Amino acid sequence: MVDTFWREVLGLLREETDSDIDLQTELDGVLREEKIEKGDLRRILRLIGQRNKFLLLLLDDYDTALRPNEHYAEAEMITFLSEFRDLAVHNKEGQYISTVVTTFRRLTELGPDLKVGGSPWYNHYLFRLLRPLSTKDVNAQLILPISTNLREGVLSVIGGNSALLQNAGYLLYDTVRSSQTPDLELFIRDFITATEQYFQNTWNFSTEEEKVLLMLIALCRLEGRLNNKKYALGDTEAIFSQRRRELIDLEERGVIQNTVEGDRTIYAFTSSMMEWWVMREIENSTEAELQKREKVWLRLMSREQAGQVAKVFQEVWKNRVIVQSVTAWIVSKLMGNPA
């Protein structure tokens, strides 16, 4: 897998060197080798430096490089990370390469445990949060002629996320270019298909504690109403105040946001689509998953609170009719209805 990665990088680089026959020849020679090694990469970087240029690698979903699988052993992962860091930092050729990677969580949380005396991630990577865009910034990018209702729907589902904005913009542009009039229902249907993996990854990369907190926030947003039935979650403010670390992390990742009303802090999802996703997770839970989460509740709250929350989760799970369609859910949110 590591060899495949570098072959892809050097293959793409070769496509950009049509005007440099000497560099192209060197790249061809490396690509013909049975295995690409660190020395080969250093030689290519040195040639790039001699031309007063540098290689900029933009790597999306870098999390993949940190997860072993049947084709990518843990030992291979450790070697790749070590050599990649060595290539970028410890050799003189490192001045000719820069890398920008994106991950769902900090590398310190995703990466393998460091050995005693090992170099920490921040010695190689400068961490920066990609914060949600403001409504003003989103509207500045979303210049297509769409209805006010549709625009509000788009703002609701993207939550200021730049990747979701890109997907939304493409879908709307494609519709307009086809001489069709975009509408909310069509947009939401296409949008959830195009972005399903994003929301799935957001959920998968959350810890069990974070997942339970997201579920609590979603249930709080229903304002105690479920299919015309009343329920009480108990003192969720106390639970949230005790789990500020997890909530801050979710805010930094752009999953939730908070507003202060008097002495209360109110949490909400940045994307109504993510809120729908979490409600679906509750609805689709198995009996075994609910029992497993009860153990997590006991880590987050008192036994009495956990028992109260468990009853609500069971009530929601038994009904299984919370959300009939994502379109109805988004429209209800735009109209200010809790469910």
Side-chain angles (χ1 to χ4, degrees):
M1 183 173 176
V2 174
D3 184 74
T4 303
F5 169 79
W6 284 117
R7 286 188 185 280
E8 178 72 14
V9 170
L10 296 184
L12 292 172
L13 179 61
R14 187 193 183 286
E15 294 177 4
E16 303 298 325
T17 59
D18 291 341
S19 59
D20 192 330
I21 302 301
D22 292 338
L23 181 56
Q24 194 174 64
T25 300
E26 289 290 336
L27 286 166
D28 286 337
V30 172
L31 290 170
R32 281 195 298 268
E33 293 178 5
E34 184 176 346
K35 182 180 180 181
I36 297 177
E37 299 181 340
K38 186 167 58 177
D40 300 318
L41 300 170
R42 288 180 184 173
R43 187 169 75 254
I44 295 300
L45 288 176
R46 195 157 50 244
L47 292 172
I48 291 175
Q50 290 171 1
R51 289 156 172 75
N52 294 318
K53 297 180 180 181
F54 69 94
L55 177 63
L56 174 61
L57 287 180
L58 305 179
L59 306 177
D60 199 12
D61 297 329
Y62 193 61
D63 321 88
T64 305
L66 310 177
R67 298 197 302 272
N69 55 52
E70 59 180 332
H71 304 295
Y72 182 48
E74 184 173 1
E76 191 177 13
M77 175 190 69
I78 298 297
T79 299
F80 169 70
L81 295 177
S82 175
E83 291 188 350
F84 199 13
R85 177 178 296 188
D86 181 69
L87 189 69
V89 177
H90 296 296
N91 297 291
K92 61 182 181 181
E93 292 84 5
Q95 63 186 304
Y96 307 128
I97 181 174
S98 293
T99 58
V100 178
V101 306
T102 64
T103 61
F104 267 87
R105 302 189 73 100
R106 290 178 174 86
L107 290 172
T108 50
E109 300 174 30
L110 294 171
D113 294 334
L114 294 174
K115 296 181 180 179
V116 177
S119 179
W121 284 99
Y122 52 75
N123 277 0
H124 185 190
Y125 291 98
L126 177 64
F127 178 75
R128 284 289 182 266
L129 290 167
L130 186 60
R131 299 186 182 279
L133 301 172
S134 67
T135 300
K136 180 180 178 181
D137 289 335
V138 172
N139 281 320
Q141 299 294 322
L142 202 62
I143 58 176
L144 294 168
I146 57 177
S147 67
T148 300
N149 184 50
L150 178 55
R151 184 174 294 274
E152 290 177 354
V154 172
L155 293 173
S156 173
V157 297
I158 67 174
N161 182 284
S162 55
L164 297 181
L165 172 60
Q166 184 179 26
N167 276 275
Y170 172 79
L171 291 172
L172 293 171
Y173 173 75
D174 192 52
T175 302
V176 172
R177 186 180 59 178
S178 301
S179 300
Q180 301 178 40
T181 301
D183 64 81
L184 183 58
E185 183 174 352
L186 176 63
F187 166 75
I188 292 175
R189 185 192 68 195
D190 292 341
F191 183 79
I192 194 170
T193 299
T195 60
E196 181 177 6
Q197 191 61 50
Y198 170 83
F199 293 104
Q200 183 67 65
N201 285 339
T202 299
W203 180 259
N204 290 342
F205 279 99
S206 297
T207 65
E208 289 303 315
E209 288 80 4
E210 289 170 344
K211 289 177 181 178
V212 168
L213 289 171
L214 290 174
M215 289 177 172
L216 286 176
I217 293 171
L219 292 175
C220 286
R221 295 281 291 169
L222 288 178
E223 299 180 0
R225 290 193 288 270
L226 173 63
N227 302 325
N228 298 318
K229 296 181 180 180
K230 291 284 186 177
Y231 67 81
L233 281 167
D235 190 4
T236 54
E237 289 183 51
I239 299 171
F240 293 150
S241 66
Q242 295 165 10
R243 312 309 301 188
R244 284 292 298 155
R245 179 180 177 182
E246 289 88 349
L247 292 168
I248 288 175
D249 192 59
L250 288 167
E251 287 183 60
E252 289 182 341
R253 287 160 51 201
V255 182
I256 63 173
Q257 58 191 349
N258 81 77
T259 55
V260 178
E261 297 181 5
D263 58 350
R264 299 179 60 206
T265 301
I266 309 299
Y267 293 96
F269 289 84
T270 54
S271 166
S272 54
M273 191 75 80
M274 189 68 215
E275 185 173 0
W276 172 81
W277 185 278
V278 172
M279 292 303 299
R280 292 291 293 185
E281 285 293 331
I282 298 175
E283 183 179 319
N284 294 329
S285 296
T286 64
E287 187 79 47
E289 288 172 333
L290 288 176
Q291 291 177 358
K292 181 181 177 181
R293 289 202 172 104
E294 288 184 14
K295 298 178 181 179
V296 180
W297 301 337
L298 290 172
R299 296 202 298 266
L300 297 177
M301 59 196 83
S302 68
R303 185 171 295 276
E304 181 181 356
Q305 287 176 317
Q308 197 166 5
V309 170
K311 290 180 182 179
V312 175
F313 270 75
Q314 285 286 349
E315 182 69 23
V316 173
W317 181 71
K318 287 178 181 178
N319 280 275
R320 287 186 175 86
V321 290
I322 305 167
V323 186
Q324 294 299 332
S325 76
V326 63
T327 305
W329 175 266
I330 301 301
V331 171
S332 70
K333 290 296 175 184
L334 293 176
M335 296 177 63
N337 298 325

